Amino acid sequence: MTSRRNFLQKISATAFALPFLPGTGSLTLPDFEEQAYQQGKVLRVAIMGLGSYGTRVAEALQACKRAKLVGAISGTPSKLKDWQTKYNIPAKNCYNYENFDQIKNNRDIDAVYVITPNALHRDQVIRVAKAGKHAICEKPMAINAKEGQEMVDACRQANVKLLVGYRLHFEPNTLEIIRMRKAGELGKVLFFQGLSGFRIGDPNQWRLKKELAGGGSMMDIGIYSINGARYMIGEEPTWVTAQETKTDPVKFKEGVDETIQFQLGFPSGAVASCLSTYSMNNLDRFFLNGDKGYAELFPATGYGPIKGRTHKGELTGPHTTHQTVQMDEMAAIIFDNKQPVVPVDGLEGLKDLKIIDAIFQAVKTGRKVDVKI
């Protein structure tokens, strides 16, 4: 396939060579740019939420082959101005939270990546869908399964894709363990352990406000162990139990969990034991045990490199910036209907939300809670 750069060079040369042909009309560089995007099927992305992770995604997009940063959405005018300069974003592709519905009329934007506080995801994704744009949403997709279902329904009704930022679903060492498990190299899977946590800093940040985060550590870091248990074991849980520990009720107010231990049961008889916390460091480990072998990732979910080993030796998959791989893969999903090894669609995000709902219910009741995926 002709590269975007070569395509632009060739079509620009043609334009200069034939500037005065009668009836040709005038074509500007943006017209050529648009044709080049269509030719190369480059996913043109606007990022909503220009904080630290939004910036990380923007930087990763610079190395993408099939995705490009073309727009920005923020409630802070100074950030929009800075991004226009830094990433060469046209002013017409910049919006605030009040007027971003106008992207409906902007042909330069294919998809919006929502990277805002959790409680805002539902309304923002639904607005993106109604504007006719594909939606990519950071995890957790919403603050509960009810909201997640509404997002899935809205995107389906608008005939647009809803994808979730599960970057680890494309990570080589993670995928190698999944391959080994599917090939039977671990034997019958018996047990998974997921440890996800760190000591959170600024007590005034949005992640510690229930009205914005929808919870505490579980919504931020614990979801990695939930998702990891599912793709490592290769099944959906049928029950959960959970216990909460809170040592600092001032920092971790009502509805904001500090530490939750939770257990999952699976149809095959495999079980998972997991920890989600905002009060301990050095916790980023997955361990999968079968009757013929084992696999371990440590670190398992950080920005990389992800490291690990199995009973056969060290895992040596290459490290590429996760968000760069993720965005290129999402372009393939949207344009080519590519089916990833582990899904990253809205239904995948909804499954995690159903489990989170069940964990919170188990904490509240002290009982085993059935999970219906």
Side-chain angles (χ1 to χ4, degrees):
M1 181 180 292
T2 303
S3 71
R4 171 176 172 271
R5 178 179 296 175
N6 290 340
F7 180 78
L8 281 173
Q9 290 173 343
K10 289 179 181 178
I11 199 166
S12 297
T14 302
F16 284 118
L18 303 171
F20 301 116
L21 284 180
T24 58
S26 62
L27 287 176
T28 62
L29 183 58
D31 292 321
F32 293 140
E33 190 86 5
E34 182 177 339
Q35 293 177 35
Y37 285 136
Q38 293 172 350
Q39 178 79 8
K41 290 189 175 181
V42 173
L43 183 67
R44 300 167 297 176
V45 180
I47 291 179
M48 179 187 297
L50 312 185
S52 60
Y53 194 73
T55 300
R56 184 179 291 273
V57 173
E59 292 295 324
L61 277 163
Q62 306 310 302
C64 284
K65 297 178 180 178
R66 296 200 61 185
K68 177 179 175 65
L69 176 63
V70 300
I73 303 167
S74 174
T76 307
S78 61
K79 286 185 178 181
L80 286 172
K81 186 175 180 180
D82 290 344
W83 277 48
Q84 286 179 42
T85 302
K86 184 174 183 180
Y87 300 112
N88 194 29
I89 298 174
K92 69 182 181 65
N93 290 356
C94 293
Y95 302 86
N96 58 45
Y97 295 129
E98 286 70 43
N99 69 9
F100 77 80
D101 307 271
Q102 295 174 15
I103 61 173
K104 180 177 183 178
N105 303 313
N106 192 329
R107 295 179 62 194
D108 290 347
I109 298 172
D110 299 314
V112 176
Y113 196 157
V114 176
I115 309 177
T116 55
N118 308 333
L120 306 180
H121 291 176
R122 174 199 173 274
D123 290 349
Q124 291 170 340
V125 165
I126 290 175
R127 286 173 66 184
V128 169
K130 288 181 176 179
K133 306 299 181 181
H134 300 294
I136 303 170
C137 187
E138 229 350 89
K139 60 190 176 303
M141 190 174 76
I143 61 172
N144 55 51
K146 178 178 180 295
E147 289 195 357
Q149 184 66 62
E150 291 169 353
M151 295 161 68
V152 169
D153 293 343
C155 290
R156 182 183 293 124
Q157 184 175 359
N159 196 30
V160 297
K161 297 278 191 183
L162 171 57
L163 305 178
V164 185
Y166 289 116
R167 57 187 168 82
L168 295 167
H169 291 197
F170 309 109
E171 196 282 315
N173 287 332
T174 301
L175 290 174
E176 173 59 13
I177 293 175
I178 294 171
R179 185 203 65 76
M180 291 178 66
R181 186 255 300 158
K182 287 182 175 180
E185 295 176 26
L186 303 177
K188 178 178 173 58
V189 173
L190 304 171
F191 175 73
F192 172 84
Q193 181 185 53
L195 304 178
S196 301
F198 62 92
R199 292 185 62 86
I200 197 165
D202 180 9
N204 298 313
Q205 63 182 283
W206 69 263
R207 288 177 178 82
L208 295 177
K209 300 180 187 299
K210 183 183 179 183
E211 64 273 18
L212 290 176
S217 70
M218 182 62 62
M219 304 300 289
D220 182 22
I221 192 71
I223 189 172
Y224 283 101
S225 281
I226 293 172
N227 195 246
R230 293 176 51 236
Y231 62 66
M232 287 291 193
I233 292 176
E235 301 179 49
E236 303 296 355
T238 57
W239 58 260
V240 306
T241 53
Q243 308 81 37
E244 180 177 7
T245 303
K246 186 171 291 193
T247 65
D248 188 347
V250 175
K251 188 173 187 178
F252 304 100
K253 297 178 174 59
E254 182 67 25
V256 179
D257 51 283
E258 176 185 350
T259 300
I260 293 180
Q261 299 174 75
F262 59 97
Q263 301 78 41
L264 308 172
F266 295 83
S268 65
V271 292
S273 178
C274 303
L275 175 70
S276 168
T277 185
Y278 265 162
S279 62
M280 289 177 263
N281 285 329
N282 307 309
L283 294 175
D284 184 13
R285 180 176 181 264
F286 287 174
F287 179 78
L288 185 66
N289 196 37
D291 63 5
K292 293 182 180 179
Y294 73 92
E296 179 181 39
L297 293 174
F298 183 56
T301 66
Y303 294 139
I306 300 300
K307 297 182 179 180
R309 56 179 179 155
T310 74
H311 60 287
K312 294 187 174 182
E314 183 180 359
L315 293 168
T316 58
H319 171 66
T320 305
T321 300
H322 294 172
Q323 294 80 6
T324 297
V325 177
Q326 171 193 315
M327 297 309 297
D328 275 339
E329 289 288 337
M330 286 185 168
I333 292 168
I334 289 172
F335 289 134
D336 309 334
N337 198 32
K338 182 177 180 179
Q339 301 300 309
V341 174
V342 186
V344 293
D345 58 16
L347 292 176
E348 176 76 3
L350 182 59
K351 291 174 181 179
D352 283 343
L353 293 174
K354 289 179 178 180
I355 298 168
I356 289 176
D357 285 353
I359 288 171
F360 285 151
Q361 185 181 351
V363 167
K364 184 177 181 180
T365 63
R367 299 177 180 175
K368 178 187 290 187
V369 175
D370 291 336
V371 179
K372 297 180 180 179
I373 300 295

